[in-house]
Amino acid sequence: MFKQVAVLGLGKVGTLVALLLKEAGFEVTGYDQQERKGLGFTAKALDTRDEKAVGDALGKVDALVSCLPYHLNLPIAKIAHKLGKHYFDLTEDVPTTQAIQAMSSTAKAALVPQCGLAPGIIGIIGASLARQFDTLDTIHLRVGALPRHPTGELGYAFNWSAEGVVNEYINACEVIQQGRKMEVPALEQFETIRIEGLSLEAFTTSGGLGTMCETYLGRVRELNYKSMRYPGHGRMMKFLLEELNLASDREFAVKLLTKAKPPVEEDVVYLHAAVNGTINGQSARKEFVNAYTPVEVNGQEWRAISWTTAASVAAVVELVAKGKLPQKGFVRQEDILLDDFLATKNGRYYKG
């Protein structure tokens, strides 16, 4: 079991990732633009744009977890690859993951991007359901990270990175339709999902499937991922990004939306996975549906979006450290066994 882990980016999620890994027995050093004190683990200042400084910092550890904005991940992954360090991140950005995957043939350690919610735990859950079938027809994965008490027409709060949300609302979405892999626009294919009497809308967003289209091509007729929101949100965002053309200025869109809908303390994360196919020659459907609310970690209450994301990547770090996952090359989320994930110290949070 490797011990020394660096966590880059000490926002809410990054700080919690470091705390969870420390509780799991790792020696953790956190890095951020400015030195941080009183976090419960060693934290140092680091300019992630300085390749030499990053290399010097990572030379002292066995693995690193990037909790940086998605557009900063690839340079860090390249440094980790060069140094032979295990690499983990939370990205939903498809081009970033494709570039990391392209490096895997010469990797001396594990490259494990996409370890958050979607992609991440939702893919692990979806794959665990799919393994129960003899033949597959459809795999539908849905995630909603929402305020518990929504206000306004958007009914939303940017508890997660507004930059990441805008990115997944704009970029094309990989899906499998009628057995063919293709790209469809974001903010389309609206549907209604009801969870314990609550009606939510779901629509296509980018990146949530990770590498699953590649994995399940030829095995499934339909595979797609959608984000769940309170009714009306998707059409409002479509109006803002497309009709008002805010998509052409992502930086301005992020600032505007963050100011209008800042983070809230009381939130909820909904996971909804459904698989159709045949078992023993009979048509069958398997579902996983759950809601997660804030929990207390290390004497502090953490938002649902923070802990569900942080616990997901921390659990995967544990699995690589214990030899439960490959020690080098690209690791796909759908190859991670749900039972192994839930058996880790951090996976246990998902048991409720």
Side-chain angles (χ1 to χ4, degrees):
M1 178 177 178
F2 63 74
K3 285 287 186 182
Q4 296 178 317
V5 182
V7 177
L8 276 62
L10 299 178
K12 290 291 186 181
V13 172
T15 297
L16 184 53
V17 169
L19 288 171
L20 291 174
L21 289 174
K22 183 178 179 181
E23 285 193 351
F26 293 92
E27 298 173 12
V28 179
T29 303
Y31 293 94
D32 204 59
Q33 286 184 317
Q34 297 180 341
E35 184 177 1
R36 306 278 297 280
K37 296 184 182 296
L39 297 179
F41 55 88
T42 301
K44 300 180 179 180
L46 178 67
D47 182 355
T48 57
R49 298 166 297 181
D50 185 334
E51 183 175 342
K52 184 180 185 304
V54 173
D56 289 344
L58 299 185
K60 305 170 186 177
V61 300
D62 303 303
L64 68 130
V65 181
S66 176
C67 298
L68 298 167
Y70 75 89
H71 63 271
L72 298 178
N73 281 327
L74 186 55
I76 300 299
K78 289 180 178 178
I79 296 172
H81 174 262
K82 181 179 179 180
L83 296 175
K85 307 295 182 180
H86 298 299
Y87 171 85
F88 307 82
D89 72 28
L90 304 169
T91 191
E92 79 290 339
D93 188 62
V94 174
T96 297
T97 298
Q98 290 173 338
I100 292 172
Q101 190 171 12
M103 299 187 292
S104 63
S105 62
T106 57
K108 298 177 182 178
L111 301 176
V112 200
Q114 306 181 320
C115 297
L117 274 172
I121 180 61
I122 192 64
I124 297 172
I125 292 168
S128 76
L129 295 178
R131 291 188 188 96
Q132 301 175 45
F133 288 77
D134 301 319
T135 64
L136 294 168
D137 183 40
T138 63
I139 301 175
H140 294 163
L141 306 180
R142 312 288 185 255
V143 174
L146 301 167
R148 295 194 71 184
H149 311 293
T151 60
E153 295 297 317
L154 279 179
Y156 197 65
F158 284 91
N159 284 4
W160 179 244
S161 162
E163 188 175 26
V165 172
V166 170
N167 188 54
E168 67 182 24
Y169 282 4
I170 293 175
N171 291 348
C173 312
E174 291 184 337
V175 301
I176 295 176
Q177 288 184 186
Q178 298 302 319
R180 295 186 296 120
K181 181 181 175 182
M182 62 180 66
E183 289 187 344
V184 299
L187 296 171
E188 296 287 353
Q189 300 184 14
F190 282 77
E191 66 183 25
T192 299
I193 293 179
R194 294 178 177 86
I195 300 177
E196 295 184 341
L198 176 67
S199 289
L200 299 170
E201 67 178 22
F203 48 82
T204 52
T205 52
S206 172
L209 290 177
T211 55
M212 292 185 74
C213 285
E214 175 186 320
T215 299
Y216 286 95
L217 184 62
R219 299 170 56 190
V220 66
R221 177 179 61 84
E222 184 174 286
L223 166 65
N224 58 51
Y225 169 82
K226 297 180 182 181
S227 291
M228 294 186 289
R229 301 288 188 256
Y230 293 113
H233 175 94
R235 288 178 176 81
M236 288 290 295
M237 289 304 305
K238 192 174 179 69
F239 170 77
L240 291 170
L241 294 172
E242 296 180 11
E243 192 163 337
L244 295 188
N245 199 28
L246 290 186
S248 65
D249 189 344
R250 297 193 186 196
E251 184 177 349
F252 175 71
V254 167
K255 290 181 179 179
L256 177 69
L257 292 167
T258 303
K259 182 177 180 180
K261 294 294 179 182
V264 296
E265 294 302 320
E266 292 192 58
D267 67 335
V268 58
V269 169
Y270 294 106
L271 300 185
H272 189 295
V275 178
N276 286 356
T278 63
I279 300 175
N280 297 324
Q282 301 294 317
S283 295
R285 177 179 174 88
K286 297 282 186 179
E287 294 182 338
F288 178 101
V289 183
N290 215 334
Y292 300 97
T293 53
V295 300
E296 185 176 297
V297 178
N298 198 37
Q300 179 181 345
E301 187 170 82
W302 294 86
R303 296 180 181 119
I305 183 61
S306 297
W307 79 256
T308 51
T309 303
S312 181
V313 67
V316 177
V317 172
E318 288 185 68
L319 290 173
V320 174
K322 293 176 181 178
K324 293 283 188 178
L325 290 173
Q327 297 300 292
K328 66 179 181 178
F330 189 84
V331 179
R332 302 176 300 184
Q333 295 297 306
E334 57 268 27
D335 290 335
I336 300 171
L337 299 178
L338 182 60
D339 287 345
D340 288 347
F341 179 95
L342 295 175
T344 64
K345 186 175 179 65
N346 287 292
R348 68 181 182 181
Y349 283 101
Y350 276 92
K351 293 182 178 181

